[in-house]
Amino acid sequence: ARRQRQMCIRDRYENVKKAVEELGPDVEVEYITDMEKIMSQGVMSTPALVVNDKVVSAGKALKVDEVKKFLV
């Protein structure tokens, strides 16, 4: 089960990278697994998406099109 969970989390990260590539902005994408760092952003449930130091989504696996809405 752990292997499958890691694959799902990686897929979510890939969705964010794909959305950034499709939009073409100069954006840094960082995949964070350090719980202390995650909680310092105010995130209490994962997966989460933080844009410009603001948590825009938490606790939901976003599809590529959903990620794009937060980046434009």
Side-chain angles (χ1 to χ4, degrees):
R2 183 160 176 78
R3 182 180 207 164
Q4 182 179 10
R5 178 176 164 79
Q6 288 175 338
M7 285 174 41
C8 289
I9 291 170
R10 177 62 62 182
D11 288 346
R12 292 172 194 154
Y13 171 67
E14 293 300 323
N15 284 351
V16 172
K17 284 183 20 179
K18 184 171 171 73
V20 168
E21 287 172 10
E22 288 180 10
L23 291 173
D26 185 23
V27 175
E28 177 185 345
V29 178
E30 187 177 357
Y31 181 72
I32 300 172
T33 58
D34 180 343
M35 286 307 292
E36 197 170 300
K37 202 170 186 182
I38 291 169
M39 289 176 22
S40 75
Q41 288 285 330
V43 173
M44 295 301 158
S45 61
T46 59
L49 179 63
V50 178
V51 178
N52 295 329
D53 294 321
K54 179 181 177 191
V55 179
V56 295
S57 176
K60 181 180 181 204
L62 300 173
K63 296 179 181 171
V64 174
D65 288 338
E66 293 172 311
V67 173
K68 285 181 181 180
K69 292 176 186 176
F70 291 114
L71 299 178
V72 290

